[in-house]
Amino acid sequence: MRTLFRLLVVLVLLVAIGFGIAWFAAGRATPPVIEIQSPAKVIGQKGTLTVSVQAPRGKFTAVTVAVEQNGKETPLFSLSGPGTATVAQETADRIRISEPFGKQAVPALTAGDARIVATATRPSFFGLREVSATMTRDIKVQLTAPLVQVVSTKHYINLGGSEFIIYRVNPPDVESGVKVGDIVYRGFSAQAAGIPHADPGLKIAVFALRYDQDLNTPMEVFARDEAGNEGTAQFDHQVFPKTFRRSTIDINDAFLQRVVPPIIQQTPQLGVSISGPGDLLPAFLKANGELRRIDAQKIASYAAQTAPRMLWNGPFIQLGNSAVESAFADHRTYLHDGKEIDQQVHLGFDLAVTSNVPVAAANDGTIVHASYLGIYGNCIIIDHGLGVQSLYGHLSSFAVKVGDTVKKGQIIGHSGATGMAGGDHLHFTMLVDGQMVNPVEWWDAHWIADRVLRKLDAVDGESQAAAVDRPAAEAPHRRARRRHRG
Ligand SMILES: [Zn+2]
C-alpha cells in the first residue's frame, strides 16, 4: 500500500517536473521574426509603412506598430483592428502589413527624430504561453520640400527636339530634373558639367518634347529629397510644332527573304520560327512592331549608364556627304502587294553614301553598346554624358568595343545593311535620357551655341564673379568652344 502511494507521489512529481520543463522551454521558444521594410531612414509628407512578421503557421496573438516621438507614442497598427492597413499573407508563416505613413496620414508627426516600434506575439505551449519580439527603427521626419529656382532663360522646344536648362536646388544633394508630362529627365551637377566655380546647388539638365507628345504638355523642374518631399518650379518656355513627313514603303518578297531570316535568327527571344515563305510576312510584322518596341526599351536602358559630365563639345557631326533618305519621325506606311500591312514612326535619320563607308563618332564619348540590336542590326551607342547619347544602326563592321573612349570624327565602324535595312545606309539618331530626339538640332552649330553654350556662359560668368577669392580657372566648355572655332 505504502509502496503504491510512494510510486504515485514520484509519478506526480515527474509529471510536474516534466510540465515545468516544457513550460520553461515554451517560454524560450523561437520568438516571431519582425522586419521593418519601410521607411528605411526618413519619412516626409507621404510614404508607406511596411512591416513583415513571421511565426510558425502565421499564428499571432498580437501585432502592434507605433511611432515614438518626443516621449509620446502614436499607435500606427494593431492586428486586432487593422483599420486602413493592408495585411497580406506572404507565405504560410509570414504576413506583410502596409499602410500610408507620413505627416498626411499621421498628423502627430513633427520634424526631427522618431522611432518606429513593432511588437509581435505568438502563442506557445498549446496557447497557454506566449513569446514576443520587438523591433525598432530610428528614422528622421523631414517635412519641408527642397527649393527649386530656374536660372536660365528663354527655353525654346521644337516638337521632337531637345532643350537645355540650368536651375538651382536647396539643399544641393537632392535628386532633381525636368518633368515633361510623365517623362523624367535627370539633372546633373553644373560643376561636373564644366562650370568649376558653380555652387553645389547649381544643376543642368537636357530634356526633350517627344515627337508624339502634345504641344501643351506640362513642363516643370523638380527636386525631391530622400523623404519623397518634392519642390517644383515652372520655367518660361515656348513650344514649336513640327510637321513630320509621311512616306510609303513597298515591302516585296525579295526584301522579306533577305532581311527577315537573319533578324529572327539573332532574336530567339521573339519566339518566331520560319519554316516556309508564308512565314516571312507575319515574322516581318512582329519584328517591325513588337521587336521595334523591345529594341526601344533596350536602347533607353543605356541612359542609366550616362556620365554625369559633359563629354561632348561643339556640334555633332553628320555622316560626310550623305544623302538624307529618311528624316526624323517620318510616318511610314508599309505596303505589300499594294495592300497596307503596317504603320510605324521612324525615329532617326537614314543617311546613305555608298556601300561600306567609314562611320565616324558624331562627338566625343564612351561606347556603351557595340553589338547586334534587333531591327537596328549591328549597332553602336555612344554616351556623351548628361543623358546625351548617339546611335548608329545597320553597320557592317565594328571598329570599337564597349568601354572604349572615342573622339569626334574617329571611325567606329562601317555602314552596311544589317537588321531591317533596305540597302546600305547609316541609321542615326540622338537620345536624351533614353528618348529618341531629332538629331538636326545637335548637328547645328548655332543651336548648340544658343541653347547650350549661351546658358553655360551666363552662369559661368556669375559663378566666377561670386567666387572672386578662389583662383580663376577657365571652364572646359569655353576651351572646347574655342577649339571648335579654331
Ligand atoms: Zn532608319
Side-chain angles (χ1 to χ4, degrees), residues 346 350 394 425 427:
H346 179 255
D350 286 347
H394 310 313
H425 74 277
H427 174 96

Side-chain angles (χ1 to χ4, degrees), residues 142-398:
Q142 204 167 294
L143 299 175
T144 47
L147 294 175
V148 193
Q149 181 207 355
V150 177
V151 175
S152 55
T153 57
K154 298 197 183 84
H155 307 96
Y156 302 125
I157 308 116
N158 294 310
L159 186 61
S162 317
E163 183 51 299
F164 200 78
I165 192 165
I166 304 181
Y167 56 93
R168 189 169 270 117
V169 299
N170 190 20
D173 56 344
V174 293
E175 184 191 338
S176 70
V178 179
K179 275 188 207 168
V180 181
D182 54 2
I183 302 176
V184 175
Y185 299 88
R186 284 162 304 154
F188 299 89
S189 154
Q191 250 175 23
I195 306 174
H197 297 292
D199 56 273
L202 197 69
K203 310 282 171 184
I204 62 179
V206 188
F207 66 98
L209 180 65
R210 266 180 67 111
Y211 75 98
D212 56 355
Q213 279 184 304
D214 192 276
L215 291 175
N216 298 313
T217 302
M219 302 182 183
E220 61 183 15
V221 180
F222 73 93
R224 188 168 43 230
D225 65 18
E226 54 177 343
N229 301 306
E230 193 174 286
T232 59
Q234 304 299 311
F235 55 92
D236 73 286
H237 67 272
Q238 275 188 62
V239 173
F240 299 94
K242 197 139 178 74
T243 38
F244 300 117
R245 293 201 302 208
R246 292 186 160 268
S247 60
T248 309
I249 294 190
D250 232 322
I251 300 296
N252 59 32
D253 291 335
F255 172 84
L256 292 177
Q257 269 156 30
R258 186 180 64 76
V259 162
V260 177
I263 295 176
I264 297 306
Q265 212 172 16
Q266 296 263 20
T267 323
Q269 65 271 31
L270 210 55
V272 175
S273 63
I274 296 168
S275 46
D279 296 335
L280 288 173
L281 187 58
F284 165 80
L285 291 173
K286 191 131 185 181
N288 205 31
E290 193 179 324
L291 184 56
R292 186 182 292 272
R293 279 184 290 280
I294 294 170
D295 294 344
Q297 280 170 16
K298 169 90 178 157
I299 291 164
S301 72
Y302 288 107
Q305 296 181 25
T306 198
R309 46 184 201 284
M310 204 162 152
L311 303 175
W312 52 281
N313 71 85
F316 286 65
I317 52 170
Q318 185 182 342
L319 185 66
N321 299 317
S322 56
V324 174
E325 294 196 324
S326 179
F328 184 77
D330 271 6
H331 187 107
R332 290 176 166 177
T333 302
Y334 295 81
L335 300 178
H336 182 251
D337 290 338
K339 274 207 320 255
E340 180 181 326
I341 51 163
D342 203 4
Q343 293 198 5
Q344 295 295 338
V345 179
H346 179 255
L347 295 173
F349 262 78
D350 286 347
L351 306 166
V353 189
T354 51
S355 289
N356 213 33
V357 293
V359 172
N363 216 318
D364 298 358
T366 308
I367 307 294
V368 290
H369 179 93
S371 59
Y372 199 87
L373 205 166
I375 61 168
Y376 298 95
N378 292 330
C379 179
I380 290 177
I381 301 174
I382 303 180
D383 176 52
H384 305 286
L386 306 182
V388 179
Q389 298 178 329
S390 55
L391 179 146
Y392 313 75
H394 310 313
L395 302 175
S396 59
S397 68
F398 298 103

Side-chain angles (χ1 to χ4, degrees), residues 76-91:
L76 299 176
F77 174 83
S78 169
L79 195 60
S80 53
T84 56
T86 312
V87 181
Q89 193 81 40
E90 272 195 316
T91 65

Side-chain angles (χ1 to χ4, degrees), residues 400-440:
V400 289
K401 59 184 191 311
V402 170
D404 284 358
T405 304
V406 290
K407 284 283 168 202
K408 194 195 288 199
Q410 183 180 330
I411 303 308
I412 54 171
H414 285 80
S415 72
T418 54
M420 201 177 284
D424 189 304
H425 74 277
L426 173 70
H427 174 96
F428 179 80
T429 198
M430 291 292 298
L431 297 149
V432 170
D433 223 350
Q435 303 293 333
M436 295 178 184
V437 296
N438 199 339
V440 166

Side-chain angles (χ1 to χ4, degrees), residues 19 23 123-130:
F19 186 86
W23 178 267
S124 163
F125 201 56
F126 313 107
L128 293 171
R129 289 212 71 173
E130 288 179 333

